Amino acid sequence: MKWDTLDEEQCSLSRTIAVVGDRWTLLILRECFLRVRRFEAFQSSLQITRHLLSERLKKLVRSGILRRVPYSDAPKRYEYILTQKGLDLYPIIMAMVHWGDTHMGDERGRPLLHEHKSCGKLFDPVMVCSECGEPLHAKQVHVHAGPGRKEAVG
Amino acid sequence: MKWDTLDEEQCSLSRTIAVVGDRWTLLILRECFLRVRRFEAFQSSLQITRHLLSERLKKLVRSGILRRVPYSDAPKRYEYILTQKGLDLYPIIMAMVHWGDTHMGDERGRPLLHEHKSCGKLFDPVMVCSECGEPLHAKQVHVHAGPGRKEAVG
DNA sequence: GGCTATAGTTCTAAAATAGAACTGTCAAAC
DNA sequence: GTTTGACAGTTCTATTTTAGAACTATAGCC
């Protein structure tokens, strides 16, 4: 497949995969949500090769997920900060974390606990219907072709 | 990185990425949720090479996300069906689709619309806190080390 | 026997990644 | 004023993965 044109496909999943669908990008985003912002910090916490880190950060900036913000003029240094578009990836990351907690856990229990500051409790993320607020299950969803597509293929 | 031991990391995201963190696997899962079940059907709708499709299906079966169910005895033929563990990936897929709809759309509108059978309406998926039911935002979440980890690194 | 359908496996070429070394800028230390 | 170290990359070669196409195997149908 030509991954460089994946974002032109008539499928929102393909378009998302085009920008955040690889292992390193997802791990880099995890670090971003944990407030990591600098090249050396990403590199040492992920043990990613510098080459790939450089590539991935550039791509994330190009796709508007990170902003490259100067924090020092001499020498020129930048840090990478999530844009709103990047922050909106949070449900994806949380959904993956929650699935890992549920299905890939070991006997020691989950690695991280999440506290919702608004209500003060430890929580799990739950995906609900925007209209009725009920939790969503695959079998309760029916798919229609939308205006951006002739027939339902994905 | 040694991706084959990623699922042993003290991070639920890494463990999830270990099994569903690559482009083809995510696209295969999309097809699964659209009721695709057979080798040839995956292959022709995704244009994935037969070799990779075979590899990915084996891996998904090994990880308990798909079951390989015989549907013909002579010749032996199997189809691939989501287990409960696989069905539980739905929020991840939906979160990715929704992000794509929101941030990667084009002028024609979204490719697919989703109808919630329970309430009959077209909806968007929303991620909420299991405790208070409010929509989740990255900045409202605080991370603690859980029993499966000594210090919070991811 | 020859054709088709299905579900793979095998092969080589091309692309991506790993791993390590190198570059350039500047500040602070000696 | 030379050296050291931090930071943010770039460049290089070796290995691994993926793409693309051809091939294998089983069985039903004509």
Side-chain angles (χ1 to χ4, degrees):
Chain A
M1 177 171 291
K2 10 75 220 154
W3 296 111
D4 46 336
T5 57
L6 196 56
D7 55 353
E8 296 160 17
E9 292 219 359
Q10 287 189 341
C11 166
S12 294
L13 181 65
S14 297
R15 292 176 189 164
T16 300
I17 289 173
V19 289
V20 300
D22 74 286
R23 283 140 142 72
W24 280 127
T25 298
L26 288 165
L27 291 172
I28 288 169
L29 288 169
R30 171 189 79 185
E31 298 301 304
C32 292
F33 281 110
L34 291 169
R35 275 84 175 164
V36 171
R37 304 180 155 195
R38 299 188 183 178
F39 191 93
E40 297 292 323
F42 286 111
Q43 206 276 320
S44 73
S45 82
L46 291 174
Q47 295 299 103
I48 184 177
T49 65
R50 309 175 72 72
H51 178 64
L52 270 202
L53 176 57
S54 174
E55 290 282 305
R56 292 292 190 274
L57 289 173
K58 272 183 211 156
K59 184 172 173 187
L60 286 167
V61 170
R62 274 203 310 278
S63 18
I65 289 169
L66 297 177
R67 265 178 310 140
R68 189 159 173 268
V69 180
Y71 72 91
S72 149
D73 264 342
K76 279 278 181 193
R77 298 253 185 275
Y78 300 88
E79 47 190 18
Y80 297 88
I81 301 187
L82 287 163
T83 60
Q84 187 57 49
K85 185 171 175 181
L87 286 167
D88 286 351
L89 289 165
Y90 194 64
I92 298 176
I93 304 290
M94 282 303 279
M96 297 184 85
V97 168
H98 184 236
W99 188 88
D101 280 339
T102 308
H103 291 288
M104 303 289 288
D106 59 28
E107 64 294 333
R108 293 169 305 186
R110 49 181 73 180
L112 292 187
L113 302 173
H114 297 271
E115 178 190 332
H116 194 205
K117 289 184 196 168
S118 325
C119 71
K121 297 192 184 136
L122 296 176
F123 72 98
D124 286 322
V126 180
M127 185 159 277
V128 301
C129 167
S130 58
E131 304 308 304
C132 70
E134 288 300 303
L136 281 175
H137 300 288
K139 305 200 169 179
Q140 284 301 307
V141 173
H142 183 66
V143 172
H144 301 267
R149 164 176 311 228
K150 274 132 296 206
E151 52 188 32
V153 201
Chain B
M1 175 170 292
K2 11 71 221 157
W3 297 114
D4 47 335
T5 58
L6 196 56
D7 55 352
E8 295 160 18
E9 293 219 359
Q10 286 188 342
C11 167
S12 295
L13 181 64
S14 297
R15 292 176 190 164
T16 300
I17 289 173
V19 288
V20 300
D22 73 285
R23 283 143 144 68
W24 281 126
T25 299
L26 288 166
L27 290 172
I28 288 168
L29 288 168
R30 172 189 78 183
E31 298 301 305
C32 292
F33 282 110
L34 291 170
R35 276 77 173 169
V36 171
R37 303 180 156 193
R38 298 188 183 177
F39 191 91
E40 297 293 323
F42 287 112
Q43 206 275 320
S44 71
S45 81
L46 291 174
Q47 297 298 105
I48 183 177
T49 65
R50 308 175 72 76
H51 178 64
L52 271 201
L53 176 58
S54 173
E55 291 282 304
R56 292 294 189 274
L57 288 173
K58 272 184 210 157
K59 184 171 173 188
L60 286 167
V61 170
R62 275 203 309 278
S63 359
I65 290 169
L66 297 178
R67 266 178 309 140
R68 191 158 172 271
V69 181
Y71 72 90
S72 148
D73 264 342
K76 280 277 183 194
R77 299 259 184 270
Y78 300 88
E79 47 189 16
Y80 297 89
I81 301 187
L82 287 163
T83 61
Q84 187 58 49
K85 186 171 174 181
L87 286 167
D88 287 351
L89 290 166
Y90 194 64
I92 298 176
I93 303 290
M94 282 302 280
M96 297 185 85
V97 168
H98 184 233
W99 188 87
D101 279 339
T102 307
H103 291 289
M104 302 291 286
D106 59 28
E107 65 293 332
R108 293 169 305 185
R110 47 181 75 179
L112 292 186
L113 301 173
H114 298 270
E115 177 190 333
H116 194 206
K117 288 186 197 167
S118 326
C119 72
K121 295 190 186 140
L122 296 176
F123 73 97
D124 286 322
V126 179
M127 184 159 277
V128 301
C129 168
S130 60
E131 303 308 305
C132 70
E134 288 299 303
L136 281 175
H137 301 288
K139 305 201 169 179
Q140 285 300 309
V141 173
H142 183 66
V143 171
H144 301 268
R149 164 177 311 226
K150 275 131 294 204
E151 51 187 31
V153 202

